mmCIF file of all heavy atoms in Angstrom:
data_model
loop_
_atom_site.group_PDB
_atom_site.id
_atom_site.type_symbol
_atom_site.label_atom_id
_atom_site.label_comp_id
_atom_site.label_asym_id
_atom_site.label_seq_id
_atom_site.Cartn_x
_atom_site.Cartn_y
_atom_site.Cartn_z
ATOM 1 N N PHE G 283 -2.475 -7.985 6.994
ATOM 2 C CA PHE G 283 -3.425 -9.073 7.358
ATOM 3 C C PHE G 283 -2.737 -10.417 7.253
ATOM 4 O O PHE G 283 -2.891 -11.336 8.087
ATOM 5 C CB PHE G 283 -4.588 -8.972 6.382
ATOM 6 C CG PHE G 283 -5.605 -10.070 6.636
ATOM 7 C CD1 PHE G 283 -6.623 -9.925 7.510
ATOM 8 C CD2 PHE G 283 -5.526 -11.324 5.891
ATOM 9 C CE1 PHE G 283 -7.550 -10.980 7.786
ATOM 10 C CE2 PHE G 283 -6.444 -12.281 6.067
ATOM 11 C CZ PHE G 283 -7.458 -12.150 7.012
ATOM 12 N N ARG G 284 -1.867 -10.634 6.244
ATOM 13 C CA ARG G 284 -1.337 -11.904 5.985
ATOM 14 C C ARG G 284 -0.357 -12.312 7.064
ATOM 15 O O ARG G 284 -0.250 -13.520 7.459
ATOM 16 C CB ARG G 284 -0.659 -12.038 4.633
ATOM 17 C CG ARG G 284 -1.550 -12.503 3.509
ATOM 18 C CD ARG G 284 -0.856 -12.488 2.191
ATOM 19 N NE ARG G 284 -0.353 -11.173 1.886
ATOM 20 C CZ ARG G 284 -1.115 -10.181 1.493
ATOM 21 N NH1 ARG G 284 -2.423 -10.329 1.437
ATOM 22 N NH2 ARG G 284 -0.659 -8.958 1.277
ATOM 23 N N SER G 285 0.456 -11.447 7.593
ATOM 24 C CA SER G 285 1.382 -11.779 8.622
ATOM 25 C C SER G 285 0.813 -11.661 10.024
ATOM 26 O O SER G 285 1.205 -12.403 10.950
ATOM 27 C CB SER G 285 2.632 -10.868 8.573
ATOM 28 O OG SER G 285 2.286 -9.481 8.745
ATOM 29 N N ASP G 286 -0.108 -10.786 10.243
ATOM 30 C CA ASP G 286 -0.609 -10.446 11.606
ATOM 31 C C ASP G 286 -2.040 -10.868 11.880
ATOM 32 O O ASP G 286 -2.514 -10.955 13.031
ATOM 33 C CB ASP G 286 -0.449 -8.976 11.968
ATOM 34 C CG ASP G 286 1.038 -8.548 11.859
ATOM 35 O OD1 ASP G 286 1.895 -9.404 12.112
ATOM 36 O OD2 ASP G 286 1.278 -7.385 11.558
ATOM 37 N N GLY G 287 -2.814 -11.028 10.787
ATOM 38 C CA GLY G 287 -4.234 -11.406 10.970
ATOM 39 C C GLY G 287 -5.124 -10.183 11.014
ATOM 40 O O GLY G 287 -6.320 -10.286 11.255
ATOM 41 N N PHE G 288 -4.608 -8.960 10.786
ATOM 42 C CA PHE G 288 -5.391 -7.772 10.811
ATOM 43 C C PHE G 288 -4.585 -6.645 10.145
ATOM 44 O O PHE G 288 -3.341 -6.754 9.966
ATOM 45 C CB PHE G 288 -5.711 -7.385 12.274
ATOM 46 C CG PHE G 288 -4.489 -7.187 13.151
ATOM 47 C CD1 PHE G 288 -3.894 -5.933 13.265
ATOM 48 C CD2 PHE G 288 -3.945 -8.248 13.842
ATOM 49 C CE1 PHE G 288 -2.728 -5.771 14.040
ATOM 50 C CE2 PHE G 288 -2.798 -8.111 14.651
ATOM 51 C CZ PHE G 288 -2.232 -6.847 14.762
ATOM 52 N N TYR G 289 -5.217 -5.527 9.887
ATOM 53 C CA TYR G 289 -4.577 -4.274 9.446
ATOM 54 C C TYR G 289 -4.649 -3.311 10.571
ATOM 55 O O TYR G 289 -5.669 -3.205 11.299
ATOM 56 C CB TYR G 289 -5.261 -3.670 8.224
ATOM 57 C CG TYR G 289 -5.277 -4.569 7.017
ATOM 58 C CD1 TYR G 289 -6.372 -5.220 6.605
ATOM 59 C CD2 TYR G 289 -4.132 -4.639 6.171
ATOM 60 C CE1 TYR G 289 -6.387 -6.012 5.442
ATOM 61 C CE2 TYR G 289 -4.126 -5.407 5.035
ATOM 62 C CZ TYR G 289 -5.263 -6.098 4.651
ATOM 63 O OH TYR G 289 -5.281 -6.887 3.547
ATOM 64 N N LEU G 290 -3.545 -2.597 10.795
ATOM 65 C CA LEU G 290 -3.592 -1.439 11.719
ATOM 66 C C LEU G 290 -3.350 -0.144 10.931
ATOM 67 O O LEU G 290 -2.335 -0.044 10.306
ATOM 68 C CB LEU G 290 -2.496 -1.629 12.793
ATOM 69 C CG LEU G 290 -2.185 -0.401 13.673
ATOM 70 C CD1 LEU G 290 -3.388 -0.080 14.512
ATOM 71 C CD2 LEU G 290 -0.996 -0.633 14.556
ATOM 72 N N TYR G 291 -4.238 0.697 11.069
ATOM 73 C CA TYR G 291 -4.112 2.056 10.447
ATOM 74 C C TYR G 291 -3.964 3.052 11.547
ATOM 75 O O TYR G 291 -4.809 3.295 12.441
ATOM 76 C CB TYR G 291 -5.352 2.439 9.623
ATOM 77 C CG TYR G 291 -5.533 3.834 9.275
ATOM 78 C CD1 TYR G 291 -4.438 4.702 9.076
ATOM 79 C CD2 TYR G 291 -6.809 4.402 9.095
ATOM 80 C CE1 TYR G 291 -4.634 6.039 8.725
ATOM 81 C CE2 TYR G 291 -6.999 5.701 8.745
ATOM 82 C CZ TYR G 291 -5.913 6.595 8.609
ATOM 83 O OH TYR G 291 -6.115 7.885 8.228
ATOM 84 N N ILE G 292 -2.743 3.649 11.671
ATOM 85 C CA ILE G 292 -2.482 4.656 12.679
ATOM 86 C C ILE G 292 -2.743 5.996 12.059
ATOM 87 O O ILE G 292 -2.267 6.335 10.960
ATOM 88 C CB ILE G 292 -0.975 4.564 13.173
ATOM 89 C CG1 ILE G 292 -0.735 3.331 13.884
ATOM 90 C CG2 ILE G 292 -0.704 5.828 14.041
ATOM 91 C CD1 ILE G 292 0.721 3.208 14.391
ATOM 92 N N ASN G 293 -3.652 6.735 12.690
ATOM 93 C CA ASN G 293 -3.933 8.112 12.259
ATOM 94 C C ASN G 293 -3.439 9.106 13.278
ATOM 95 O O ASN G 293 -3.809 9.129 14.460
ATOM 96 C CB ASN G 293 -5.432 8.332 12.089
ATOM 97 C CG ASN G 293 -5.791 9.746 11.552
ATOM 98 O OD1 ASN G 293 -5.793 9.972 10.325
ATOM 99 N ND2 ASN G 293 -6.143 10.596 12.420
ATOM 100 N N ASN G 294 -2.559 9.989 12.767
ATOM 101 C CA ASN G 294 -1.898 11.041 13.615
ATOM 102 C C ASN G 294 -2.832 12.258 13.455
ATOM 103 O O ASN G 294 -2.885 12.839 12.422
ATOM 104 C CB ASN G 294 -0.490 11.233 13.139
ATOM 105 C CG ASN G 294 0.235 12.327 13.912
ATOM 106 O OD1 ASN G 294 -0.346 13.355 14.344
ATOM 107 N ND2 ASN G 294 1.528 12.124 14.112
ATOM 108 N N SER G 295 -3.379 12.777 14.515
ATOM 109 C CA SER G 295 -4.338 13.887 14.454
ATOM 110 C C SER G 295 -3.652 15.177 14.072
ATOM 111 O O SER G 295 -2.508 15.436 14.169
ATOM 112 C CB SER G 295 -5.009 14.075 15.810
ATOM 113 O OG SER G 295 -4.161 14.704 16.743
ATOM 114 N N HIS G 296 -4.481 15.997 13.441
ATOM 115 C CA HIS G 296 -4.167 17.338 13.071
ATOM 116 C C HIS G 296 -5.057 18.393 13.690
ATOM 117 O O HIS G 296 -6.109 18.057 14.188
ATOM 118 C CB HIS G 296 -4.210 17.424 11.537
ATOM 119 C CG HIS G 296 -3.319 16.551 10.755
ATOM 120 N ND1 HIS G 296 -3.537 15.191 10.707
ATOM 121 C CD2 HIS G 296 -2.179 16.768 10.093
ATOM 122 C CE1 HIS G 296 -2.559 14.630 10.045
ATOM 123 N NE2 HIS G 296 -1.759 15.537 9.576
ATOM 124 N N GLU G 297 -4.572 19.582 13.701
ATOM 125 C CA GLU G 297 -5.405 20.636 14.241
ATOM 126 C C GLU G 297 -6.670 20.830 13.399
ATOM 127 O O GLU G 297 -6.568 21.007 12.183
ATOM 128 C CB GLU G 297 -4.654 21.962 14.334
ATOM 129 C CG GLU G 297 -3.413 21.952 15.235
ATOM 130 C CD GLU G 297 -2.622 23.182 15.018
ATOM 131 O OE1 GLU G 297 -3.201 24.313 14.846
ATOM 132 O OE2 GLU G 297 -1.409 23.101 14.996
ATOM 133 N N MET G 298 -7.842 20.790 14.014
ATOM 134 C CA MET G 298 -9.061 21.001 13.269
ATOM 135 C C MET G 298 -9.557 22.415 13.615
ATOM 136 O O MET G 298 -9.419 22.912 14.737
ATOM 137 C CB MET G 298 -10.098 19.985 13.741
ATOM 138 C CG MET G 298 -9.846 18.549 13.243
ATOM 139 S SD MET G 298 -10.272 18.410 11.585
ATOM 140 C CE MET G 298 -12.091 18.400 11.654
ATOM 141 N N PRO G 299 -10.165 23.085 12.653
ATOM 142 C CA PRO G 299 -10.396 22.696 11.258
ATOM 143 C C PRO G 299 -9.286 22.975 10.301
ATOM 144 O O PRO G 299 -9.377 22.730 9.116
ATOM 145 C CB PRO G 299 -11.651 23.490 10.919
ATOM 146 C CG PRO G 299 -11.468 24.763 11.635
ATOM 147 C CD PRO G 299 -10.780 24.447 12.904
ATOM 148 N N ARG G 300 -8.156 23.479 10.833
ATOM 149 C CA ARG G 300 -7.077 23.946 9.951
ATOM 150 C C ARG G 300 -6.579 22.818 9.003
ATOM 151 O O ARG G 300 -6.308 23.090 7.837
ATOM 152 C CB ARG G 300 -5.945 24.482 10.787
ATOM 153 C CG ARG G 300 -4.715 24.933 10.014
ATOM 154 C CD ARG G 300 -3.575 25.277 10.944
ATOM 155 N NE ARG G 300 -2.367 25.680 10.195
ATOM 156 C CZ ARG G 300 -1.158 25.789 10.799
ATOM 157 N NH1 ARG G 300 -1.109 25.651 12.092
ATOM 158 N NH2 ARG G 300 -0.134 26.160 10.084
ATOM 159 N N PHE G 301 -6.480 21.611 9.477
ATOM 160 C CA PHE G 301 -5.963 20.524 8.712
ATOM 161 C C PHE G 301 -7.000 19.452 8.364
ATOM 162 O O PHE G 301 -6.667 18.300 8.235
ATOM 163 C CB PHE G 301 -4.809 19.868 9.487
ATOM 164 C CG PHE G 301 -3.549 20.778 9.619
ATOM 165 C CD1 PHE G 301 -3.158 21.228 10.875
ATOM 166 C CD2 PHE G 301 -2.809 21.094 8.520
ATOM 167 C CE1 PHE G 301 -2.035 22.037 10.964
ATOM 168 C CE2 PHE G 301 -1.674 21.881 8.641
ATOM 169 C CZ PHE G 301 -1.287 22.382 9.837
ATOM 170 N N GLU G 302 -8.205 19.869 8.223
ATOM 171 C CA GLU G 302 -9.282 18.935 7.893
ATOM 172 C C GLU G 302 -8.995 18.225 6.559
ATOM 173 O O GLU G 302 -9.207 17.043 6.348
ATOM 174 C CB GLU G 302 -10.631 19.671 7.769
ATOM 175 C CG GLU G 302 -11.783 18.714 7.374
ATOM 176 C CD GLU G 302 -13.060 19.436 7.341
ATOM 177 O OE1 GLU G 302 -13.257 20.519 7.933
ATOM 178 O OE2 GLU G 302 -13.992 18.904 6.684
ATOM 179 N N ARG G 303 -8.424 19.039 5.606
ATOM 180 C CA ARG G 303 -8.080 18.442 4.303
ATOM 181 C C ARG G 303 -7.132 17.336 4.466
ATOM 182 O O ARG G 303 -7.279 16.229 3.858
ATOM 183 C CB ARG G 303 -7.493 19.573 3.438
ATOM 184 C CG ARG G 303 -6.832 19.078 2.162
ATOM 185 C CD ARG G 303 -6.187 20.277 1.408
ATOM 186 N NE ARG G 303 -5.357 19.844 0.275
ATOM 187 C CZ ARG G 303 -4.085 19.526 0.375
ATOM 188 N NH1 ARG G 303 -3.475 19.529 1.574
ATOM 189 N NH2 ARG G 303 -3.390 19.189 -0.717
ATOM 190 N N ASP G 304 -6.102 17.498 5.252
ATOM 191 C CA ASP G 304 -5.089 16.475 5.484
ATOM 192 C C ASP G 304 -5.661 15.233 6.083
ATOM 193 O O ASP G 304 -5.397 14.113 5.684
ATOM 194 C CB ASP G 304 -3.984 16.974 6.374
ATOM 195 C CG ASP G 304 -3.112 18.070 5.714
ATOM 196 O OD1 ASP G 304 -3.393 18.393 4.519
ATOM 197 O OD2 ASP G 304 -2.125 18.526 6.330
ATOM 198 N N TYR G 305 -6.568 15.420 7.036
ATOM 199 C CA TYR G 305 -7.262 14.273 7.623
ATOM 200 C C TYR G 305 -7.922 13.443 6.573
ATOM 201 O O TYR G 305 -7.795 12.227 6.521
ATOM 202 C CB TYR G 305 -8.347 14.802 8.590
ATOM 203 C CG TYR G 305 -8.068 14.529 10.052
ATOM 204 C CD1 TYR G 305 -7.962 15.614 10.931
ATOM 205 C CD2 TYR G 305 -7.997 13.267 10.528
ATOM 206 C CE1 TYR G 305 -7.707 15.413 12.325
ATOM 207 C CE2 TYR G 305 -7.797 12.980 11.922
ATOM 208 C CZ TYR G 305 -7.668 14.141 12.787
ATOM 209 O OH TYR G 305 -7.450 13.856 14.059
ATOM 210 N N ARG G 306 -8.642 14.055 5.713
ATOM 211 C CA ARG G 306 -9.469 13.359 4.739
ATOM 212 C C ARG G 306 -8.556 12.691 3.690
ATOM 213 O O ARG G 306 -8.763 11.469 3.349
ATOM 214 C CB ARG G 306 -10.437 14.367 4.018
ATOM 215 C CG ARG G 306 -11.458 14.852 4.962
ATOM 216 C CD ARG G 306 -12.477 15.843 4.294
ATOM 217 N NE ARG G 306 -13.427 16.362 5.203
ATOM 218 C CZ ARG G 306 -14.568 15.763 5.527
ATOM 219 N NH1 ARG G 306 -14.853 14.586 5.108
ATOM 220 N NH2 ARG G 306 -15.404 16.332 6.360
ATOM 221 N N LEU G 307 -7.678 13.351 3.098
ATOM 222 C CA LEU G 307 -6.907 12.749 2.020
ATOM 223 C C LEU G 307 -5.896 11.724 2.471
ATOM 224 O O LEU G 307 -5.621 10.744 1.809
ATOM 225 C CB LEU G 307 -6.239 13.845 1.129
ATOM 226 C CG LEU G 307 -5.143 14.674 1.668
ATOM 227 C CD1 LEU G 307 -3.758 14.063 1.568
ATOM 228 C CD2 LEU G 307 -5.167 16.061 1.063
ATOM 229 N N ILE G 308 -5.352 11.883 3.733
ATOM 230 C CA ILE G 308 -4.445 10.863 4.262
ATOM 231 C C ILE G 308 -5.201 9.570 4.485
ATOM 232 O O ILE G 308 -4.731 8.480 4.266
ATOM 233 C CB ILE G 308 -3.712 11.401 5.510
ATOM 234 C CG1 ILE G 308 -2.723 12.505 5.100
ATOM 235 C CG2 ILE G 308 -3.013 10.265 6.256
ATOM 236 C CD1 ILE G 308 -2.097 13.182 6.302
ATOM 237 N N ALA G 309 -6.412 9.687 5.050
ATOM 238 C CA ALA G 309 -7.249 8.504 5.272
ATOM 239 C C ALA G 309 -7.520 7.773 3.987
ATOM 240 O O ALA G 309 -7.346 6.516 3.885
ATOM 241 C CB ALA G 309 -8.515 8.844 5.978
ATOM 242 N N LEU G 310 -7.845 8.497 2.871
ATOM 243 C CA LEU G 310 -8.061 7.872 1.630
ATOM 244 C C LEU G 310 -6.785 7.292 1.089
ATOM 245 O O LEU G 310 -6.838 6.184 0.420
ATOM 246 C CB LEU G 310 -8.589 8.949 0.633
ATOM 247 C CG LEU G 310 -9.974 9.524 0.917
ATOM 248 C CD1 LEU G 310 -10.311 10.652 0.070
ATOM 249 C CD2 LEU G 310 -11.052 8.403 0.757
ATOM 250 N N HIS G 311 -5.662 7.848 1.264
ATOM 251 C CA HIS G 311 -4.381 7.331 0.906
ATOM 252 C C HIS G 311 -4.082 6.045 1.587
ATOM 253 O O HIS G 311 -3.810 4.948 0.976
ATOM 254 C CB HIS G 311 -3.264 8.332 1.202
ATOM 255 C CG HIS G 311 -1.870 7.849 0.926
ATOM 256 N ND1 HIS G 311 -0.986 8.557 0.122
ATOM 257 C CD2 HIS G 311 -1.167 6.812 1.475
ATOM 258 C CE1 HIS G 311 0.181 7.913 0.165
ATOM 259 N NE2 HIS G 311 0.076 6.908 0.907
ATOM 260 N N GLU G 312 -4.186 5.995 2.947
ATOM 261 C CA GLU G 312 -3.822 4.842 3.703
ATOM 262 C C GLU G 312 -4.751 3.696 3.428
ATOM 263 O O GLU G 312 -4.338 2.514 3.360
ATOM 264 C CB GLU G 312 -3.747 5.157 5.142
ATOM 265 C CG GLU G 312 -2.735 6.207 5.597
ATOM 266 C CD GLU G 312 -1.291 5.825 5.228
ATOM 267 O OE1 GLU G 312 -1.033 4.639 4.912
ATOM 268 O OE2 GLU G 312 -0.459 6.647 5.312
ATOM 269 N N LEU G 313 -6.028 3.959 3.347
ATOM 270 C CA LEU G 313 -7.025 2.923 3.086
ATOM 271 C C LEU G 313 -6.950 2.353 1.636
ATOM 272 O O LEU G 313 -7.299 1.167 1.394
ATOM 273 C CB LEU G 313 -8.411 3.408 3.415
ATOM 274 C CG LEU G 313 -8.607 3.640 4.925
ATOM 275 C CD1 LEU G 313 -9.913 4.384 5.191
ATOM 276 C CD2 LEU G 313 -8.593 2.343 5.717
ATOM 277 N N PHE G 314 -6.343 3.112 0.721
ATOM 278 C CA PHE G 314 -6.057 2.574 -0.563
ATOM 279 C C PHE G 314 -4.982 1.502 -0.445
ATOM 280 O O PHE G 314 -4.959 0.520 -1.149
ATOM 281 C CB PHE G 314 -5.612 3.637 -1.517
ATOM 282 C CG PHE G 314 -5.427 3.187 -2.956
ATOM 283 C CD1 PHE G 314 -6.517 2.879 -3.770
ATOM 284 C CD2 PHE G 314 -4.130 2.891 -3.453
ATOM 285 C CE1 PHE G 314 -6.380 2.427 -5.076
ATOM 286 C CE2 PHE G 314 -3.988 2.426 -4.724
ATOM 287 C CZ PHE G 314 -5.084 2.148 -5.563
ATOM 288 N N HIS G 315 -4.035 1.697 0.539
ATOM 289 C CA HIS G 315 -3.053 0.599 0.666
ATOM 290 C C HIS G 315 -3.694 -0.660 1.196
ATOM 291 O O HIS G 315 -3.269 -1.734 0.851
ATOM 292 C CB HIS G 315 -2.046 1.062 1.791
ATOM 293 C CG HIS G 315 -0.997 2.035 1.248
ATOM 294 N ND1 HIS G 315 -0.430 1.918 0.002
ATOM 295 C CD2 HIS G 315 -0.481 3.188 1.836
ATOM 296 C CE1 HIS G 315 0.447 2.877 -0.165
ATOM 297 N NE2 HIS G 315 0.451 3.693 0.925
ATOM 298 N N VAL G 316 -4.765 -0.540 2.044
ATOM 299 C CA VAL G 316 -5.485 -1.788 2.461
ATOM 300 C C VAL G 316 -6.055 -2.458 1.200
ATOM 301 O O VAL G 316 -6.009 -3.630 1.085
ATOM 302 C CB VAL G 316 -6.543 -1.385 3.524
ATOM 303 C CG1 VAL G 316 -7.393 -2.693 3.835
ATOM 304 C CG2 VAL G 316 -5.964 -0.884 4.762
ATOM 305 N N TYR G 317 -6.633 -1.644 0.313
ATOM 306 C CA TYR G 317 -7.231 -2.221 -0.933
ATOM 307 C C TYR G 317 -6.145 -2.914 -1.742
ATOM 308 O O TYR G 317 -6.373 -4.022 -2.217
ATOM 309 C CB TYR G 317 -7.837 -1.075 -1.729
ATOM 310 C CG TYR G 317 -8.207 -1.556 -3.124
ATOM 311 C CD1 TYR G 317 -9.362 -2.345 -3.326
ATOM 312 C CD2 TYR G 317 -7.411 -1.263 -4.208
ATOM 313 C CE1 TYR G 317 -9.715 -2.752 -4.596
ATOM 314 C CE2 TYR G 317 -7.721 -1.710 -5.489
ATOM 315 C CZ TYR G 317 -8.873 -2.489 -5.663
ATOM 316 O OH TYR G 317 -9.200 -2.938 -6.899
ATOM 317 N N GLN G 318 -4.975 -2.278 -1.864
ATOM 318 C CA GLN G 318 -3.853 -2.850 -2.592
ATOM 319 C C GLN G 318 -3.486 -4.242 -1.949
ATOM 320 O O GLN G 318 -3.377 -5.246 -2.692
ATOM 321 C CB GLN G 318 -2.634 -1.974 -2.570
ATOM 322 C CG GLN G 318 -2.754 -0.673 -3.352
ATOM 323 C CD GLN G 318 -1.565 0.229 -3.149
ATOM 324 O OE1 GLN G 318 -1.180 0.428 -2.029
ATOM 325 N NE2 GLN G 318 -1.065 0.832 -4.212
ATOM 326 N N LEU G 319 -3.296 -4.253 -0.657
ATOM 327 C CA LEU G 319 -2.809 -5.460 0.045
ATOM 328 C C LEU G 319 -3.851 -6.539 -0.001
ATOM 329 O O LEU G 319 -3.546 -7.766 -0.031
ATOM 330 C CB LEU G 319 -2.442 -5.144 1.471
ATOM 331 C CG LEU G 319 -1.220 -4.215 1.596
ATOM 332 C CD1 LEU G 319 -1.155 -3.717 3.027
ATOM 333 C CD2 LEU G 319 0.042 -4.967 1.278
#
């Protein structure tokens, strides 16, 4: 946000439902970075 004026979160898709767990926990991981920043 400070350098660009926004956050960009890129989400790389996984096979559903096989990787549903990964989808969920990776989103929580990356959005914690937004909280940190």
